[in-house]
Amino acid sequence: MQKQQEKPISLTQSLIPVVLLVVLLAINVYVFRDDALSGTNQFILLLGGAIAIIVGLYNRVSYDTILQQIVNNVRDTSNAIYILLLVGALSGTWLLSGIIPSMIYYGLEILHPSIYLPACVIITSIISIATGSSWTTSATVGIALVGIGNALGMPLGVIGGAVVSGAYFGDKLSPLSDTTNLAPVMAGTDLFTHIRYMLYTTVPTYIVTLILFIILGFVYSTEGQVNTTETLDAIRQTFHITPLLFIVPIVVILLIVKKVQPIAALLIGTLLGAVFALIFQPDIVVAVAGGETFNFYYAYKGIMLALTTDIRILSPLESLNGLFEAGGMASMLNTVWLILCAMFFGGTMEAIGALQKISAALLSVASSLFGLFASTVASCLAVNITTSDQYLSIVVPGKMFAEAYKQKGLAPENLSRTLEDSGTVTSVLIPWNTCGAYHAGVLGIPTLTYLPYAFFNYLSPFVTLLYAAFDIKIRRLVNKEKQIDHLVKEQN
């Protein structure tokens, strides 16, 4: 029997799954709010893929062809999934060993009234990098900083802007952050290449943010006192705090700089964290395991629990307890689930030719390099506004634009960086977005009150567009291909 020839897909047909997906996701996030990532969004992505399959079958695309492309897409993300699981394990051992609490402790020690606002940015940055979560940072140290600033007579909007700016700087760059892991998967690059490439736009934005808060510090100068004694004492009573614990993150940073494979670097960091936990925090390891006396059984059980599942370490100060929680590899399963379902949708769209068609349309409209970057930024903002979810502002534009960047000869890290610069950091500026609603609720400061002072968050998209306009640090695939051709010619 002769195989039916595929019909070329139209732009309207290509957009049907995307439009329906965005509508369904918007409804779903409205209904489930913060719980949307616990499975319902993932199912909506599968539903979007099913709609794309129907469009493909209508155009006589073979079901086997579609299935094979989905399998290929999932296979391509396997490395990223292992990295995510190791990131969860690393966060567990770094908490258990006291590495994360030590970062918090030394960060709080720099707090002083004369530098209160820039110190807020720096402290929340350190804690967010250490925990990989802007949400945890705001819910713990963020609340404390708002209380201190309020007592000093600082305007709430300015305090909120400083906390949010620092929290999202850390969340954006931390290898422990789920969005930092998700963006390179969607774009088609690796975690550490993505982080290194983000530094080009993130560091200048951060410096400008700090300068602005230093100026505001002079405008709202105060003679009050900052008292963090109770918090510092509580951390010291719970953990053995020592600068020696910083050996582990320094080793991991050196491995990253030396371009060691991410899986190897994270595994070494995780195992070193476990060793340091046994050396510096043996009592906590035993307590986590539910024991009383240190021995091999409880040492092994405590470490394995930190690696794989939820651990909670209680401190004398209740407000700190939210910081001293980690979920191990299990905490990354929702993100892994999201990636797998996104690959189902993306693989289906690719197999039926929809992504290629949308990409061609985008390239015809945004023919210039700046136009392509501007379209990406606009799409991320649009998804953040319509679906109210920062993860989807990375997933949907990531799959839509990946082919367009490739056709323009642009390396995938350009896309992953832009997704973070415009998707991750702007989510907190939208009052009805899950991030905006969460931070406003936790800090007790309305979104629109802190928005004018969240400099880092709204400057990031502009810096990305500035780099694109002047073609600064825009990495191209063509150069890599030329280098490969040159090496092949040399060898021949």
Side-chain angles (χ1 to χ4, degrees):
M1 183 177 177
Q2 190 176 4
K3 182 183 175 182
Q4 285 187 314
Q5 189 175 0
E6 292 179 13
K7 289 165 57 180
I9 190 168
S10 68
L11 181 60
T12 303
Q13 290 174 335
S14 300
L15 289 172
I16 289 172
V18 176
V19 172
L20 289 177
L21 177 71
V22 170
V23 170
L24 290 170
L25 287 171
I27 294 169
N28 193 62
V29 172
Y30 174 77
V31 172
F32 287 96
R33 302 292 179 183
D34 295 350
D35 291 329
L37 193 64
S38 298
T40 52
N41 273 352
Q42 287 88 328
F43 182 77
I44 297 297
L45 283 164
L46 292 179
L47 204 56
I51 294 167
I53 289 174
I54 292 170
V55 173
L57 294 176
Y58 175 79
N59 286 320
R60 303 191 192 118
V61 179
S62 163
Y63 179 75
D64 289 338
T65 301
I66 297 171
L67 189 61
Q68 187 57 52
Q69 188 58 54
I70 293 169
V71 171
N72 291 342
N73 275 26
V74 171
R75 183 192 62 211
D76 291 343
T77 63
S78 57
N79 190 56
I81 288 171
Y82 289 127
I83 287 172
L84 268 172
L85 294 175
L86 278 173
V87 162
L90 182 139
S91 67
T93 60
W94 281 24
L95 172 63
L96 193 66
S97 62
I99 295 168
I100 291 172
S102 292
M103 290 180 178
I104 296 166
Y105 181 87
Y106 291 113
L108 286 173
E109 279 204 320
I110 69 172
L111 194 63
H112 190 273
S114 62
I115 57 163
Y116 172 77
L117 288 174
C120 272
V121 178
I122 293 168
I123 289 166
T124 50
S125 299
I126 292 168
I127 293 166
S128 197
I129 286 173
T131 61
S133 171
S134 59
W135 286 36
T136 300
T137 302
S138 283
T140 50
V141 174
I143 293 173
L145 291 171
V146 170
I148 292 167
N150 200 21
L152 292 173
M154 290 280 182
L156 281 178
V158 179
I159 303 166
V163 170
V164 165
S165 292
Y168 272 84
F169 168 79
D171 192 331
K172 182 183 171 188
L173 283 181
S174 175
L176 305 182
S177 168
D178 40 16
T179 55
T180 310
N181 281 274
L182 188 61
V185 174
M186 293 302 111
T189 186
D190 67 90
L191 174 63
F192 292 144
T193 298
H194 168 60
I195 292 174
R196 281 194 296 267
Y197 206 63
M198 275 201 297
L199 291 172
Y200 293 125
T201 55
T202 304
V203 172
T205 310
Y206 188 70
I207 291 169
V208 171
T209 300
L210 278 176
I211 291 169
L212 290 171
F213 278 111
I214 289 168
I215 294 168
L216 284 176
F218 288 117
V219 173
Y220 300 109
S221 59
T222 176
E223 297 298 323
Q225 294 296 314
V226 177
N227 186 4
T228 58
T229 306
E230 186 183 13
T231 304
L232 294 173
D233 286 344
I235 296 173
R236 269 199 310 266
Q237 289 173 39
T238 309
F239 295 91
H240 175 58
I241 302 298
T242 170
L244 292 174
L245 290 165
F246 289 110
I247 292 171
V248 179
I250 289 169
V251 168
V252 174
I253 291 168
L254 288 174
L255 290 172
I256 294 168
V257 171
K258 293 291 184 182
K259 298 186 178 179
V260 172
Q261 286 296 323
I263 288 179
L266 291 170
L267 181 59
I268 291 167
T270 301
L271 295 176
L272 282 175
V275 171
F276 274 54
L278 294 172
I279 295 170
F280 292 101
Q281 321 291 345
D283 293 342
I284 294 176
V285 174
V286 171
V288 165
E292 295 180 359
T293 308
F294 186 82
N295 57 38
F296 174 79
Y297 174 83
Y298 289 119
Y300 177 80
K301 185 178 179 182
I303 293 296
M304 290 305 291
L305 287 173
L307 287 166
T308 57
T309 189
D310 296 332
I311 61 167
R312 292 175 178 82
I313 300 168
L314 298 178
S315 74
L317 196 61
E318 190 177 345
S319 60
L320 280 175
N321 290 339
L323 269 180
F324 301 151
E325 294 180 0
M329 289 193 292
S331 66
M332 292 296 172
L333 292 180
N334 274 344
T335 307
V336 170
W337 194 5
L338 181 70
I339 288 171
L340 292 174
C341 293
M343 289 303 106
F344 178 85
F345 175 74
T348 305
M349 290 287 285
E350 194 170 343
I352 68 172
L355 286 183
Q356 296 86 328
K357 192 72 178 181
I358 293 170
S359 175
L362 289 169
L363 286 172
S364 64
V365 175
S367 55
S368 67
L369 184 140
F370 177 79
L372 182 58
F373 278 79
S375 299
T376 310
V377 170
S379 297
C380 290
L381 288 170
V383 175
N384 253 332
I385 291 167
T386 55
T387 68
S388 306
D389 188 272
Q390 68 170 345
Y391 297 98
L392 300 175
S393 72
I394 293 172
V395 170
V396 178
K399 295 309 295 180
M400 281 174 55
F401 282 90
E403 186 64 27
Y405 276 71
K406 189 176 179 181
Q407 287 186 25
K408 276 281 187 184
L410 298 171
E413 49 265 37
N414 291 290
L415 174 57
S416 65
R417 182 178 73 185
T418 308
L419 293 174
E420 289 250 60
D421 282 344
S422 52
T424 299
V425 298
T426 59
S427 57
V428 72
L429 304 177
I430 300 161
W432 56 89
N433 189 286
T434 51
C435 294
Y438 174 84
H439 288 276
V442 163
L443 297 174
I445 305 170
T447 308
L448 296 179
T449 302
Y450 67 66
L451 186 152
Y453 304 100
F455 302 121
F456 178 79
N457 300 72
Y458 63 74
L459 286 176
S460 290
F462 288 107
V463 172
T464 282
L465 293 177
L466 190 68
Y467 274 51
F470 291 96
D471 202 352
I472 303 168
K473 294 297 179 184
I474 306 298
R475 190 170 294 168
R476 287 169 169 78
L477 287 171
V478 177
N479 294 336
K480 292 181 179 179
E481 289 167 3
K482 284 180 179 178
Q483 288 172 8
I484 292 168
D485 290 340
H486 179 68
L487 288 171
V488 170
K489 287 176 182 178
E490 281 188 345
Q491 287 174 357
N492 294 334

